Amino acid sequence: MSKKNRIVTVTMNPAIDLACTVSDFTAGKVNRVESYQTDAAGKGVNIAVLLRKFGLPVTVTGFLGQDNAGIFEKMFREQGLEDWFVRVPGETRIGIKVLDPRTETTTDINFPGLAPDMGHVEELTAAIEKLAAEASIVVIGGSLPATVGPETVGELVTVIREQGAKPVVDTSGPALRSAVDSVPWLIKPNDDELAELVGRPLKTISEIARESWRMNRSGIANVVISLGARGALFVNDEEELFATPPEIEPVSTVGAGDAMIGGLVAGTALGLSFRERVRLATALSAATVAQAAPSLENLDRARKLEDRVTIETISL
Ligand SMILES: Nc1ncnc2c1ncn2[C@@H]1O[C@H](COP(=O)(O)OP(=O)(O)OP(=O)(O)O)[C@@H](O)[C@H]1O
Ligand SMILES: [Mg+2]
């Protein structure tokens, strides 16, 4: 039996999310916070937490600020995540979300991120190389710190593949371009990220489908394009599927993309068919949108939604 059953997620620019509720939030005056919550977050971290709900063995890595790592370390212990994060001087950034229930608006205040240097990038690359040798799938999620060049993502994809693991990438802009050029196993841009990648607007589903098909034939085994409430398009070597989520009462779209990746990765690790993975991923992301928190407490709501996902084959 191969020992390659571990899943690794990489978060190079994590954040501590501070969500607070302020009725009638107004700039330039004193605002009173009614309730608040802090969460250790970041795309790879969120995906890792979801994967643990399936009982899968997961290691997390990336960059963490050494001055405020406590909230992450506590969460990793509670969730049973193996911690391989490279510690970097300074603090992991904080992202403040001000939710105003009266006007139903959200105001984001984003702090600058960490500044890992070349030595830190080398340390992370060495960690990923070691981990990938024992892993089935390595997920790279989220943006990059300003000091890390986009080519790093493509280099990591190559390192992961050479160690016999499947590289999955969810990022945008030049980092996504770099990843695609190194041919990962799965990508999941949304429609805007795909348009930026191909350098022109894509207006219809069939235009999006043709681009996805082209990328699949260039070697990316799974090309998934998420389209918000409309659902998502899934292309592999054999099939082109369109999944429409069940209608739910949307509460917060934060974490929808992470839930979709988590579902696809968990489904792969559990040996589900392509269609079953599509169904699971779509139900998980709909369940995540139906709640305020960015990641699911358990799988119950998603399991109930699975039967209501519609999947159709699309023709190109
Ligand atoms: N209102 C909704 N109802 C049901 N499902 C939804 C809704 N919004 C999003 N989803 C599901 O979540 C998936 C991912 O959403 P979306 O396309 O917005 O991802 P994203 O833009 O990558 O989001 P993010 O990166 O911010 O998490 C969609 O493909 C869809 O299946
Ligand atoms: Mg996304």
Side-chain angles (χ1 to χ4, degrees):
M1 258 282 284
S2 157
K3 272 180 55 221
K4 288 179 73 72
N5 64 348
R6 188 160 277 277
I7 298 169
V8 178
T9 74
V10 182
T11 315
M12 282 189 264
N13 205 12
I16 296 171
D17 282 348
L18 169 56
C20 53
T21 308
V22 180
S23 293
D24 296 319
F25 174 75
T26 317
K29 80 168 197 49
V30 174
N31 293 276
R32 305 254 174 243
V33 171
E34 288 143 34
S35 63
Y36 70 95
Q37 189 179 332
T38 29
D39 286 296
K43 281 190 191 298
V45 170
N46 298 345
I47 293 167
V49 170
L50 180 55
L51 292 171
R52 287 296 299 143
K53 303 289 187 292
F54 290 86
L56 295 162
V58 186
T59 301
V60 286
T61 186
F63 299 119
L64 266 191
Q66 62 196 23
D67 295 347
N68 61 351
I71 179 172
F72 284 90
E73 288 161 354
K74 177 165 179 280
M75 190 274 263
F76 296 158
R77 271 196 307 276
E78 287 166 357
Q79 301 291 331
L81 292 164
E82 189 185 39
D83 174 11
W84 275 55
F85 267 93
V86 173
R87 303 305 195 263
V88 173
E91 293 191 351
T92 299
R93 68 197 167 125
I94 297 175
I96 302 180
K97 262 189 197 324
V98 184
L99 315 168
D100 185 338
R102 260 201 213 131
T103 55
E104 293 187 356
T105 55
T106 307
T107 306
D108 282 291
I109 303 171
N110 292 334
F111 287 48
L114 291 166
D117 62 25
M118 269 205 342
H120 297 117
V121 173
E122 277 164 25
E123 201 182 323
L124 178 65
T125 306
I128 290 172
E129 185 169 22
K130 232 186 234 156
L131 288 167
E134 303 293 325
S136 58
I137 301 170
V138 181
V139 184
I140 302 173
S143 60
L144 298 179
T147 54
V148 177
E151 70 287 351
T152 305
V153 178
E155 288 162 11
L156 289 175
V157 165
T158 303
V159 164
I160 293 161
R161 193 168 1 83
E162 284 173 354
Q163 295 303 315
K166 296 179 166 79
V168 171
V169 180
D170 183 19
T171 185
S172 56
L176 177 59
R177 168 86 275 157
S178 158
V180 165
D181 291 345
S182 292
V183 195
W185 184 75
L186 185 150
I187 54 170
K188 190 225 63 71
N190 61 29
D191 44 354
D192 293 334
E193 290 160 350
L194 177 68
E196 194 188 344
L197 182 68
V198 301
R200 64 189 172 86
L202 301 168
K203 291 192 196 72
T204 63
I205 298 289
S206 68
E207 272 183 283
I208 293 172
R210 265 196 302 276
E211 282 304 331
S212 312
W213 185 86
R214 209 181 45 72
M215 282 198 285
N216 169 259
R217 290 314 185 261
S218 79
I220 303 174
N222 299 273
V223 179
V224 180
I225 314 296
S226 66
L227 305 164
R230 286 177 292 166
L233 183 76
F234 302 79
V235 179
N236 77 354
D237 295 345
E238 280 120 44
E239 287 183 286
E240 289 96 35
L241 302 177
F242 194 96
T244 307
E247 231 172 273
I248 45 106
E249 196 65 56
V251 178
S252 162
T253 57
V254 177
D258 303 336
M260 178 150 274
I261 305 233
L264 293 166
V265 169
T268 304
L270 297 168
L272 303 188
S273 73
F274 187 55
R275 258 174 202 266
E276 288 167 334
R277 277 179 262 159
V278 166
R279 183 176 296 284
L280 175 63
T282 306
L284 284 167
S285 37
T288 303
V289 173
Q291 63 164 39
S295 56
L296 295 170
E297 204 54 55
N298 59 61
L299 302 176
D300 297 349
R301 196 200 294 253
R303 291 292 185 209
K304 291 204 187 84
L305 292 174
E306 271 192 88
D307 289 343
R308 291 166 49 208
V309 174
T310 41
I311 300 176
E312 52 200 319
T313 302
I314 54 158
S315 45
L316 297 167

